[in-house]
Amino acid sequence: MSVLGDLRYHIKTFGCQMNKHDSEVAAGLLDVLGLQPTAAVEEADLIVFLTCCVRENADERLRGQVASLKVLKTDSDGRTPPLIAVGGCIGQRDGEKLLEVLPHVDIVFGTHNIERLPALYQQALAKRDAAEHYVPWRPEATVEVQQESDSFAADLPTTREHPWHAWLPITQGCDNYCSYCIVPYVRGRERSRPFEDVVAQAHALVADGVLEITLLGQNVNSYGRDLYGTPRFADILRAVAATGIKRLGFATSHPKDLLPETIEVMATTANILTHLHLPVQSGSDRILAAMGRCYTRDDYLNLVAQLRAALPHITLSTDMIVGFPGESEADFAGSLALAREVCFDQMFTFLFSPREGTPAATMENTVPAELAQKRFDQLVECVQSSALICNERLVASRQEVLIEGASKRDEKMLTGRTMGAKIVHLPLPDAASAADYAGRIVPVTITAAHKWFLQGELLDQAACQ
């Protein structure tokens, strides 16, 4: 057994699916090193934060949660204080500067060197053990941030959160440089994994019992452009679907790169989820141009029409930013009208958050906070209404639901997702446990609709047990 076998780690994750995958990689690396996971942060010898810096609230959450750990540094009930590591996008962006606001952090690493976490942890341990009089903050922090990497995190050991689901990155980085977005600066330029490597890993995941794969990239639609001269996302989607995987999804899609052949594959391949996350960001052509999005309002609406013609039951989610610099009442009215016209199943709404280093951070004519919040509230109300309308259409329908486990709010209820990525809650049958159903696809009748979830009942309990 490893000499580290008595040590435990705890991972906290903020942000997008890529951060979630990075957290599973971090867990895999630490498992190989010999550490044991713990759900209790106060029991951990190493606490790892995998972070997002796309919006200011992510920065604030990190600072608040890391600051709260000072008590563990000074009062550990006789235990050696834990080491704290910060990685991901904030680690990449801030590097050693992070220590100016969080001096009790011991390790900082970036998005391009997550494979170095075990070595950095061992270095930090050695520094702590060698200190004659250890002070529980920053005797000498271990900071290592690389500007680029030739490797993919997908090639590293991974401990999946759920045995039936796997994240499968096909690209990393982004070449779009939208004026408000920090991602290209912290994730780097877009790079695609070789086609054969992605398909081989998908086959391995299916052989390992995975039921659902999510293909990942900052812009999956442009997969392969750097390697093959033209996007091959439709090809990789078709090839992974052919591995025998029960369910296949992907995120995230940029509207300017969503091609007809991708829509065709989605419409003709039964195991691809009937859900698409297609960020629009604004319903104003003027604001879209200022954002550098490379499509117009009509372009987006035409895509939605093509999708719904090919997949009448598709569920659509999106992102929209409120209060972008220079946004007028007419601009916001365009966003509100687009939201009503599309009738999204779900929308992630955000107040504009200037990110240092991006062009939008220096734009003038900022929208007053009070006005931006008023518009935000209007948009949220609109989205809540459309989400309920979309869900009400599914009442009395039969859905195949992948059960994820017990509901967090009621252990007597199961929770899962449909092929359209809708959350469904349903009663746990008598004399059964949530573990009996977790990771199983079951037939469900939808009995009621709410804004953000559906209620249902097992269609044939005997057949499911």
Side-chain angles (χ1 to χ4, degrees):
M1 179 180 292
S2 165
V3 295
L4 302 177
D6 292 333
L7 301 181
R8 289 165 289 187
Y9 69 87
H10 178 87
I11 297 176
K12 289 181 174 287
T13 310
F14 303 132
C16 68
Q17 294 97 330
M18 198 66 78
N19 292 82
K20 294 179 181 178
H21 174 261
D22 286 350
S23 292
E24 292 187 348
V25 170
L29 292 167
L30 295 173
D31 287 345
V32 170
L33 188 62
L35 278 72
Q36 303 297 316
T38 177
V41 65
E42 64 275 5
E43 295 178 356
D45 300 283
L46 171 64
I47 303 167
V48 182
F49 290 84
L50 271 299
T51 60
C52 171
C53 64
V54 170
R55 294 174 181 85
E56 177 62 26
N57 64 351
D59 288 39
E60 292 173 353
R61 285 181 66 196
L62 173 74
R63 289 193 291 266
Q65 292 205 21
V66 175
S68 71
L69 297 178
K70 286 182 180 180
V71 65
L72 294 181
K73 286 284 193 175
T74 56
D75 182 12
S76 300
D77 295 327
R79 295 178 60 242
T80 302
L83 295 178
I84 299 172
V86 176
C89 294
I90 288 181
Q92 182 71 32
R93 184 195 66 189
D94 292 350
E96 193 161 350
K97 290 195 301 182
L98 190 66
L99 303 174
E100 296 173 7
V101 292
L102 298 171
H104 54 297
V105 167
D106 302 281
I107 303 164
V108 179
F109 61 99
T111 59
H112 299 301
N113 64 328
I114 191 171
E115 71 275 9
R116 290 278 298 154
L117 178 57
L120 297 175
Y121 175 56
Q122 290 177 303
Q123 289 177 25
L125 274 180
K127 288 179 181 179
R128 186 184 69 184
D129 294 344
E132 184 175 352
H133 300 291
Y134 176 67
V135 177
W137 19 77
R138 200 181 164 198
E140 187 178 349
T142 300
V143 180
E144 185 179 296
V145 176
Q146 296 175 197
Q147 295 309 307
E148 58 184 20
S149 172
D150 294 329
S151 63
F152 281 87
D155 300 324
L156 300 170
T158 301
T159 299
R160 298 193 302 272
E161 181 181 4
H162 302 297
W164 60 86
H165 176 268
W167 307 107
L168 178 49
I170 62 173
T171 69
Q172 61 185 32
C174 184
D175 286 347
N176 287 314
Y177 289 91
C178 299
S179 66
Y180 56 84
C181 187
I182 194 70
V183 168
Y185 304 96
V186 293
R187 289 282 180 181
R189 298 298 299 269
E190 183 176 276
R191 293 193 303 120
S192 302
R193 294 180 68 197
F195 194 99
E196 297 76 14
D197 290 0
V198 174
V199 176
Q201 187 175 0
H203 274 292
L205 291 169
V206 171
D208 196 36
V210 170
L211 297 180
E212 183 177 76
I213 288 174
T214 303
L215 304 180
L216 284 185
Q218 263 70 44
N219 177 20
V220 292
N221 298 126
S222 60
Y223 166 79
R225 181 182 284 136
D226 56 321
L227 292 180
Y228 310 113
T230 185
R232 293 192 61 188
F233 182 60
D235 296 334
I236 199 70
L237 198 57
R238 185 182 293 109
V240 174
T243 62
I245 190 68
K246 295 293 184 182
R247 292 186 170 196
L248 177 60
F250 54 90
T252 294
S253 294
H254 195 297
K256 74 177 179 62
D257 294 315
L258 181 60
L259 301 178
E261 49 263 42
T262 298
I263 297 174
E264 180 185 2
V265 173
M266 292 178 66
T268 57
T269 311
N271 55 344
I272 295 178
L273 296 184
T274 56
H275 166 257
L276 179 64
H277 185 67
L278 193 66
V280 63
Q281 306 300 2
S282 175
S284 160
D285 285 347
R286 192 176 70 85
I287 296 299
L288 288 171
M291 289 177 168
R293 293 294 286 174
C294 300
Y295 56 84
T296 66
R297 171 197 180 89
D298 284 347
D299 292 335
Y300 189 90
L301 291 174
N302 286 336
L303 274 179
V304 171
Q306 293 174 46
L307 285 160
R308 286 183 168 155
L311 293 135
H313 301 297
I314 192 169
T315 64
L316 291 174
S317 59
T318 196
D319 297 339
M320 195 172 282
I321 296 172
V322 177
F324 189 83
E327 181 188 70
S328 67
E329 284 297 332
D331 295 322
F332 175 69
S335 293
L336 199 59
L338 183 142
R340 287 171 176 154
E341 181 174 349
V342 174
C343 195
F344 290 102
D345 293 82
Q346 187 174 19
M347 179 187 289
F348 299 92
T349 51
F350 304 99
L351 289 166
F352 171 70
S353 178
R355 303 284 75 197
E356 184 179 352
T358 65
T362 61
M363 290 182 179
E364 299 179 352
N365 197 14
T366 57
V367 178
E370 185 176 344
L371 177 57
Q373 185 64 54
K374 179 181 177 182
R375 293 173 180 173
F376 179 90
D377 294 341
Q378 283 183 266
L379 186 58
V380 168
E381 184 178 352
C382 171
V383 173
Q384 289 176 342
S385 175
S386 68
L388 181 58
I389 290 170
C390 292
N391 281 348
E392 286 175 338
R393 294 170 181 162
L394 297 176
V395 173
S397 69
R398 171 192 166 120
Q399 301 289 326
E400 299 296 315
V401 176
L402 174 56
I403 302 298
E404 298 176 349
S407 167
K408 293 180 179 179
R409 294 187 176 183
D410 186 350
E411 61 181 16
K412 294 182 180 180
M413 298 289 288
L414 295 171
T415 187
R417 291 183 183 268
T418 68
M419 283 291 288
K422 297 277 190 179
I423 297 173
V424 182
H425 297 305
L426 57 152
L428 178 66
D430 294 337
S433 70
D436 295 332
Y437 286 89
R440 298 175 62 185
I441 298 173
V442 299
V444 171
T445 298
I446 302 303
T447 57
H450 302 269
K451 292 175 185 176
W452 307 126
F453 69 92
L454 301 165
Q455 287 178 246
E457 293 180 354
L458 287 171
L459 192 61
D460 184 354
Q461 293 189 17
C464 298
Q465 292 177 349

